[in-house]
Amino acid sequence: MRIGIAAGEASGDVLGSGLIHSLKARETSICVEGIAGSRMREAGCDVWVDSDKLAVMGLFEVLGHLPELLRIRSDVRTRWLRDPPDVFVGIDAPDFNLPLEARLRAEGIRTVQYVSPQVWAWRQGRIRKIAKAVDCVLCLLPFEKQFYDKHGVPAEFVGHPLADQVPMQIDQRAAREKLSVDGGQLLAVLPGSRRGEVLQLANAFAQTIAWLAKRRPNLGFVVPLAAPELGPLFEQALGRRAPGVGVQLIAGDAQTVMAAADAVLLASGTATLEALLLKKPMVVAYRFSKLTVALIETFRLMKIDHYSLPNLLAGTRLVPEYYQQDVRAEVLGPAVLEQLDDDVYRTQLVSEFDAIHRELRRDADRLAADAVLTVARG
């Protein structure tokens, strides 16, 4: 059996590697090929294009990369139409994958979208395109399947692989020993996994570090960087906005850093789910470019009251989240101190996070592989 695949950026690479391992555990002769990252390559994928090529954020930010993205999509589409796989799986990257899936499906190739586009949150009109493009959507979150059921689109809730990987109980002491940090209060700071995110948030996060250091001199700061090229960006922001403040920058290992921390300041995204699974109080921030915000507000594209995953999963404001002009030290700093100091709130938060963790813990790799094979076999 041949499976075509296209994964967007680092998170898609993680999902894809788990899926490939689970597929090959059922059928060792399965061939997987397409757009993938290093983890998927190690799992046995024949990589045509590196998934980092698809890692572009924002509505206007993508324009500079559009010619290359269109060329990549045309190339892989031509290859698969010439030699069709048994099924195509698009992992995340909906703006890239959905048009590709629509064309492949129109030519008789079965298609699966692994990770729902946030159609329930904004641009809900896309549901009609999704219905035409895919045979099944694999949903990581329970409310996503409910949305698709309402619109008559085949979907399966497989749970989230992170919920399977992160243990229910976290050993904070072991994480601190691994990082060689002392027993004082520790804040993990995650400014994002993509260059665009870090550029939008680095100055505000650095200013917040300076604000906190002035009021809480014994508070430690650790910044796990998702990629080597992000280090200079954040170091420059620290030099401008938090000169003289001791901040530990490390390469990767965000999960260990968050496990060691007492609270987390981070960009909105998958990392907020990871912080939830680690049962960590957090403050969430997000910024778009001014052009993207103007488009969202002009056409009223947003359809949700919350945008961070913990709040979306809970259906209420469990954790503080801040957007655009509110992403500044005078707002973020006090919110972080509240996360560190309110013990009653922290206890309640851990209980809520524990319940969500259990709901998402469903052996996602196995369920996703089962669904892909079911579609492939018709």
Side-chain angles (χ1 to χ4, degrees):
M1 178 181 291
R2 286 176 57 245
I3 297 176
I5 204 162
E9 62 184 292
S11 58
D13 190 33
V14 173
L15 288 173
S17 65
L19 173 63
I20 292 169
H21 280 301
S22 193
L23 286 166
K24 287 185 173 289
R26 285 157 177 74
E27 205 171 309
T28 57
S29 62
I30 285 177
C31 171
V32 184
E33 60 192 18
I35 302 172
S38 58
R39 293 188 182 214
M40 293 169 68
R41 188 194 302 273
E42 292 170 2
C45 182
D46 179 10
V47 180
W48 297 349
V49 181
D50 194 280
S51 59
D52 285 347
K53 299 290 186 181
L54 274 58
V56 184
M57 64 177 288
L59 298 177
F60 283 93
E61 294 82 345
V62 74
L63 293 178
H65 299 268
L66 190 58
E68 183 182 18
L69 293 172
L70 292 175
R71 178 189 58 77
I72 291 171
R73 189 164 65 195
S74 176
D75 289 347
V76 296
R77 180 181 63 223
T78 299
R79 291 182 70 170
W80 280 316
L81 289 178
R82 186 188 308 124
D83 186 14
D86 295 284
V87 63
F88 170 79
V89 182
I91 303 180
D92 212 352
D95 290 329
F96 181 92
N97 278 322
L98 286 175
L100 177 58
E101 288 159 354
R103 177 63 188 279
L104 296 178
R105 191 171 186 237
E107 297 296 328
I109 298 172
R110 299 183 178 96
T111 60
V112 174
Q113 174 65 25
Y114 189 10
V115 184
S116 168
Q118 293 182 337
V119 65
W120 35 267
W122 69 310
R123 293 167 60 197
Q124 291 193 358
R126 290 178 295 168
I127 190 68
R128 294 184 292 274
K129 294 182 179 179
I130 295 171
K132 293 179 179 180
V134 302
D135 291 285
C136 186
V137 180
L138 304 185
C139 303
L140 306 187
L141 310 173
F143 60 80
E144 293 175 328
K145 176 170 169 52
Q146 296 165 12
F147 178 86
Y148 284 108
D149 288 347
K150 179 181 176 181
H151 289 86
V153 178
E156 296 291 340
F157 169 46
V158 299
H160 204 295
L162 270 177
D164 300 322
Q165 297 161 13
V166 176
M168 295 300 298
Q169 301 295 326
I170 302 302
D171 189 340
Q172 185 180 31
R173 178 178 296 179
R176 288 188 170 221
E177 289 176 355
K178 184 177 179 180
L179 295 174
S180 300
V181 297
D182 58 28
Q185 283 189 318
L186 186 69
L187 179 69
V189 180
L190 284 75
S193 61
R194 295 173 289 194
R195 179 181 175 84
E197 285 179 310
V198 176
L199 287 173
Q200 292 286 351
L201 294 173
N203 284 333
F205 278 15
Q207 286 175 318
T208 302
I209 288 173
W211 189 97
L212 289 165
K214 184 177 180 180
R215 291 157 179 81
R216 192 70 58 90
N218 295 325
L219 179 62
F221 304 95
V222 183
V223 182
L225 297 164
E229 62 270 18
L230 302 181
L233 294 178
F234 203 75
E235 286 178 334
Q236 290 167 15
L238 288 171
R240 291 190 300 266
R241 310 295 183 180
V245 178
V247 180
Q248 183 180 356
L249 275 67
I250 66 172
D253 210 2
Q255 190 172 125
T256 299
V257 172
M258 286 192 282
D262 297 290
V264 185
L265 171 64
L266 73 172
S268 181
T270 304
T272 63
L273 176 63
E274 196 166 9
L276 177 156
L277 298 172
L278 292 164
K279 319 301 186 300
K280 297 297 175 178
M282 70 189 83
V283 176
V284 185
Y286 207 75
R287 274 181 174 168
F288 290 110
S289 71
K290 292 181 180 179
L291 287 174
T292 298
V293 171
L295 185 61
I296 289 172
E297 293 179 349
T298 299
F299 293 97
R300 300 181 180 179
L301 297 177
M302 285 290 189
K303 302 295 183 181
I304 51 175
D305 296 323
H306 309 290
Y307 60 87
S308 66
L309 282 172
N311 292 344
L312 286 168
L313 286 163
T316 188
R317 192 177 187 271
L318 273 187
V319 302
E321 56 181 23
Y322 299 102
Y323 175 71
Q324 292 306 105
Q325 67 272 14
D326 288 331
V327 180
R328 60 186 193 276
E330 296 77 10
V331 175
L332 301 179
V336 168
L337 290 182
E338 184 177 1
Q339 302 299 299
L340 289 168
D341 297 340
D342 191 335
D343 291 335
V344 173
Y345 166 77
R346 290 169 65 90
T347 300
Q348 294 172 342
L349 195 66
V350 168
S351 178
E352 294 279 359
F353 285 174
D354 188 77
I356 294 172
H357 192 163
R358 295 181 188 281
E359 183 180 20
L360 298 179
R361 196 179 176 91
R362 296 171 59 86
D363 196 355
D365 291 339
R366 177 182 62 82
L367 292 180
D370 290 345
V372 168
L373 292 175
T374 297
V375 173
R377 292 166 178 159

